[in-house]
Amino acid sequence: MTLTPDAPSPSPQLEWVTCPHPEGQHRMAYWRWGDANARHLVVCAHGLTRQGRDFDRLAQALVAQSPEPVQVICPDVVGRGRSEWLSEPALYQIPQYAGDMLAMLGQIQYQLGADKPLQALDWVGTSMGGLIGMLLAGQPGLPLPAPIRRLVLNDVGPAIAWGSVQRMQSYVGQYGQFRDLDEAAAALWSLSTGFGPVPADVWREMSVHMLRPGSDGAVTLHYDPAIGVPVRAMTPEAAAAGEATLWALYDQIQAKTLLIRGQDSDLLTPETATAMTERGPRAQLDTWPGFGHAPTLTGDDQIAVVAKFLLGD
């Protein structure tokens, strides 16, 4: 079957970057909105089982509202969307993802040219995408084309509630085939009510990009089921050790930081959010009633908060 939204919408440019991993290399896809020659770059990184087209509405708004040329880059993290799958499931973890982003950013700077260095690099990260952003922003000496200037952490912090990890362990990689887009969208929504109020037409539009053709005209989810292997292997002890590392990274972040928290989030606790305003970059906290984990950043009011933070003085 053909997976298309009900109404045509502007399309981003699909590009690829070759990234190394311990067993060889793989290709990661990324989507570009805006001016490929712009020296203001905003990267939007998605959550665990999502993909880069989640940010279509935000990206279009940033391009339209920016007073200066901007390009918005939305990667499909390896194993998701149009990106290739890894043969070793254990590699589906934040260090590999961060390395892939460095390769992507290096390619983008190369395309701009040595005489046109980036003037501003901003990062919007939802859940897993926020963890990647914390690693890149909080680790001095990484070969970034420019320091991360502004960082948006969408419902994620250094401490992740164990109950949320258990919830992810119960569903990540556990999927089959669906008869059509509508059945798949309904199944996805049953796992995504924490995203908050999303109009049905917007959810259907988002769901198109979550699917790939299956067999006999059916559809299936876009991501490699093996991304769930490291998640299911996580233990409370390993999570605690990872939390200590993430706090150390967070404390080194120099970027101006906006922390968005869904008031009903089961991943980012109020205590962690408060601590994030008191240490490290002392994030500006914006708590959104009616949302859990994690806001989609698709509504006009949600987009306005992010656009003001990224495009304001």
Side-chain angles (χ1 to χ4, degrees):
M1 69 176 289
T2 301
L3 295 170
T4 56
D6 292 333
S9 60
S11 297
Q13 178 69 38
L14 174 61
E15 302 203 20
W16 307 85
V17 59
T18 299
C19 306
H21 63 257
E23 297 181 342
Q25 59 187 29
H26 57 275
R27 291 206 309 165
M28 183 180 74
Y30 61 95
W31 304 89
R32 174 186 277 113
W33 295 91
D35 184 353
N37 293 310
R39 295 164 68 184
H40 179 189
L41 176 64
V42 180
V43 178
C44 297
H46 60 77
L48 180 63
T49 63
R50 306 294 303 179
Q51 39 66 49
R53 298 299 299 272
D54 274 3
F55 295 103
D56 281 8
R57 289 178 176 244
L58 174 63
Q60 290 176 76
L62 292 174
V63 170
Q65 295 175 27
S66 178
E68 303 292 339
V70 64
Q71 54 176 314
V72 182
I73 300 295
C74 307
D76 286 345
V77 176
V78 64
R80 290 89 166 166
R82 300 290 186 90
S83 293
E84 292 183 344
W85 294 6
L86 298 175
S87 59
E88 175 48 65
L91 295 175
Y92 284 127
Q93 298 196 59
I94 300 299
Q96 179 66 57
Y97 304 154
D100 292 356
M101 299 304 156
L102 289 174
M104 178 189 74
L105 291 169
Q107 176 169 291
I108 292 168
Q109 179 59 78
Y110 178 80
Q111 291 169 340
L112 281 171
D115 60 334
K116 294 196 296 183
L118 281 182
Q119 294 177 332
L121 172 59
D122 298 330
W123 190 278
V124 179
T126 294
S127 194
M128 180 189 73
L131 297 179
I132 300 169
M134 279 193 281
L135 190 154
L136 295 176
Q139 193 169 340
L142 291 179
L144 290 165
I148 293 179
R149 181 189 69 128
R150 297 191 179 178
L151 173 65
V152 178
L153 299 176
N154 183 17
D155 207 69
V156 68
I160 296 175
W162 180 246
S164 179
V165 175
Q166 291 178 305
R167 179 175 61 82
M168 289 186 283
Q169 290 175 328
S170 71
Y171 75 83
V172 176
Q174 309 294 320
Y175 69 78
Q177 296 197 108
F178 307 96
R179 288 192 303 272
D180 53 27
L181 171 59
D182 291 329
E183 183 179 67
L188 286 167
W189 183 249
S190 70
L191 298 171
S192 309
T193 53
F195 287 4
V198 181
D201 61 324
V202 175
W203 185 249
R204 197 172 194 274
E205 173 188 305
M206 294 175 69
S207 296
V208 166
H209 305 296
M210 292 290 294
L211 304 173
R212 57 188 172 88
S215 59
D216 300 324
V219 295
T220 190
L221 296 186
H222 65 89
Y223 69 84
D224 182 358
I227 70 170
V229 172
V231 177
R232 287 189 292 275
M234 181 69 68
T235 64
E237 295 75 19
E243 178 179 329
T245 299
L246 286 170
W247 274 118
L249 289 168
Y250 182 78
D251 286 340
Q252 296 186 95
I253 291 173
Q254 300 296 311
K256 184 176 181 180
T257 302
L258 170 65
L259 175 62
I260 296 169
R261 179 177 183 270
Q263 190 172 63
D264 302 322
S265 176
D266 67 345
L267 186 140
L268 179 63
T269 67
E271 294 77 16
T272 296
T274 298
M276 292 172 71
T277 69
E278 297 170 344
R279 56 190 287 187
R282 298 182 182 272
Q284 168 191 329
L285 174 60
D286 206 340
T287 301
W288 293 0
F291 292 84
H293 182 75
T296 58
L297 308 182
T298 55
D300 290 344
D301 52 345
Q302 301 170 55
I303 289 171
V305 171
V306 177
K308 180 180 179 181
F309 178 75
L310 294 179
L311 304 178
D313 297 332

